[in-house]
Amino acid sequence: MNILEFFVPPCVKRILCKKGGRQRQKFQVHTYRDMLFVENKIHRYVYMQGEPGVGKSTFMSKFVLDWSRTVVFESQHAETNVSFGDVDTLQAFRFLFHVSLRDSREQREVLEMIKEQIIDRIYSGDRREKAYKLIVKILETETCCVNMDGLDEWTDFKGKLAVPIVATCYPQCTVLITTRPWKLVDERIKDSHIDCLLEIEGIKEPDMLIELILTSLHHEKPMEACVKVSEYIHKCNLTKFLMSPMFFFFYNSISYIRCKHVYDHTS
């Protein structure tokens, strides 16, 4: 399914870094602009931390799709009543490159990651070399966003780097990195290297996700089934998992099967 069909906005908070310590004041953000800009200046390095299964990779995928919509439709209007509905903000980037760090454990530079994960999969032969040279020029001269998903799944094979190399000759490049919180404890990641620190805590409206999932399963009575699933989750004391999409999908599937079994035998 297209992620846009069942995406539910997450709860994302910005962590203000105080002198002498990274964590301590949090406030919720609702827009891409809050993530990427301070006044009218765009951030250079944005880190998004979150526990396993809270939706970091899903959020990044939605980010990429929203950016692509601004390219296809050229102009977008902000949906002020929807969290992260201001897709027009993403027009600040002429190009966007998304890389999975778990698939780049042998690379140390983001340019090599883009080459292997994007260029090599699209082009071959001489065209591949021409595209590679073009990417270098784009990164050096254009406003770009590089998404690096899963810093906690990447380790420098030389043991020297905490984060892949983004060359200083890419002056207009914004880097958005997702990771589990423990990775940011690495003393090599300096506070001065983090322009914006975000924390994703999970989905805000679990009931909405239940309804979208059941509707996608072509359930005849999604609203009624949604109530039954919610009742089952609360009855089994599974509510603590509702903020985590990963656990949520698992338990929601079990609940749906159990409730459907009961429903079929009582109707």
Side-chain angles (χ1 to χ4, degrees):
M1 289 183 62
N2 188 319
I3 192 175
L4 299 177
E5 295 180 29
F6 62 86
F7 180 80
V8 176
C11 178
V12 179
K13 294 183 179 180
R14 180 170 181 181
I15 301 174
L16 291 182
C17 306
K18 294 184 177 181
K19 188 175 182 180
R22 183 169 292 160
Q23 299 267 340
R24 313 314 168 196
Q25 189 177 352
K26 299 181 182 180
F27 63 91
Q28 193 162 343
V29 297
H30 302 278
T31 65
Y32 288 128
R33 176 163 285 277
D34 290 339
M35 286 176 48
L36 301 168
F37 286 83
V38 55
E39 297 181 350
N40 290 319
K41 183 180 179 181
I42 197 164
H43 292 307
R44 170 73 167 168
Y45 287 96
V46 179
Y47 284 78
M48 175 179 282
Q49 69 176 23
E51 298 296 340
V54 295
K56 299 185 296 295
S57 295
T58 300
F59 184 86
M60 291 285 266
S61 297
K62 174 67 161 46
F63 184 100
V64 173
L65 285 172
D66 281 344
W67 177 83
S68 68
R69 288 164 61 195
T70 70
V71 174
V72 173
F73 299 109
E74 294 185 357
S75 64
Q76 291 284 335
H77 298 290
E79 301 177 57
T80 54
N81 61 332
V82 179
S83 292
F84 303 102
D86 59 324
V87 294
D88 57 331
T89 297
L90 304 183
Q91 291 180 350
F93 304 113
R94 290 288 307 278
F95 296 89
L96 184 148
F97 304 97
H98 180 89
V99 295
S100 170
L101 293 179
R102 73 165 66 179
D103 298 322
S104 294
R105 293 173 181 170
E106 300 301 318
Q107 280 80 43
R108 307 178 77 226
E109 296 192 33
V110 69
L111 181 59
E112 291 298 318
M113 297 175 182
I114 292 173
K115 180 180 184 297
E116 182 178 272
Q117 292 192 33
I118 301 176
I119 300 302
D120 290 352
R121 295 180 183 182
I122 299 175
Y123 301 102
S124 62
D126 294 339
R127 296 183 65 196
R128 179 178 291 172
E129 188 61 30
K130 291 179 181 179
Y132 180 65
K133 291 179 180 179
L134 178 60
I135 292 297
V136 173
K137 183 176 181 180
I138 287 172
L139 289 170
E140 290 178 349
T141 60
E142 300 288 351
T143 304
C144 303
C145 182
V146 175
N147 291 354
M148 294 194 285
D149 189 27
L151 181 62
D152 53 283
E153 299 182 85
W154 178 87
T155 302
D156 177 23
F157 64 88
K158 292 186 178 182
K160 296 181 179 180
L161 303 174
V163 180
I165 297 171
V166 179
T168 56
C169 61
Y170 309 151
Q172 302 181 75
C173 185
T174 292
V175 183
L176 177 58
I177 302 172
T178 66
T179 182
R180 296 182 186 180
W182 63 264
K183 185 70 174 181
L184 292 179
V185 177
D186 193 320
E187 61 183 10
R188 292 173 297 179
I189 302 177
K190 306 297 183 183
D191 287 350
S192 59
H193 193 256
I194 302 176
D195 295 314
C196 179
L197 177 60
L198 304 167
E199 182 172 53
I200 183 169
E201 298 181 344
I203 54 177
K204 293 192 294 185
E205 300 182 56
D207 288 340
M208 180 186 295
L209 184 55
I210 293 176
E211 184 179 347
L212 292 173
I213 293 172
L214 293 174
T215 302
S216 71
L217 293 172
H218 306 292
H219 196 282
E220 295 179 359
K221 300 179 179 180
M223 293 301 295
E224 183 176 334
C226 181
V227 172
K228 290 181 179 294
V229 169
S230 295
E231 290 176 349
Y232 179 79
I233 289 173
H234 285 80
K235 179 181 178 181
C236 297
N237 295 318
L238 300 174
T239 53
K240 63 182 178 181
F241 295 108
L242 291 181
M243 287 288 285
S244 172
M246 178 182 292
F247 291 109
F248 176 82
F249 272 102
F250 175 70
Y251 284 108
N252 189 43
S253 300
I254 294 176
S255 304
Y256 168 69
I257 294 170
R258 181 70 61 85
C259 291
K260 187 176 188 301
H261 175 75
V262 173
Y263 181 81
D264 290 342
H265 283 77
T266 58
S267 60

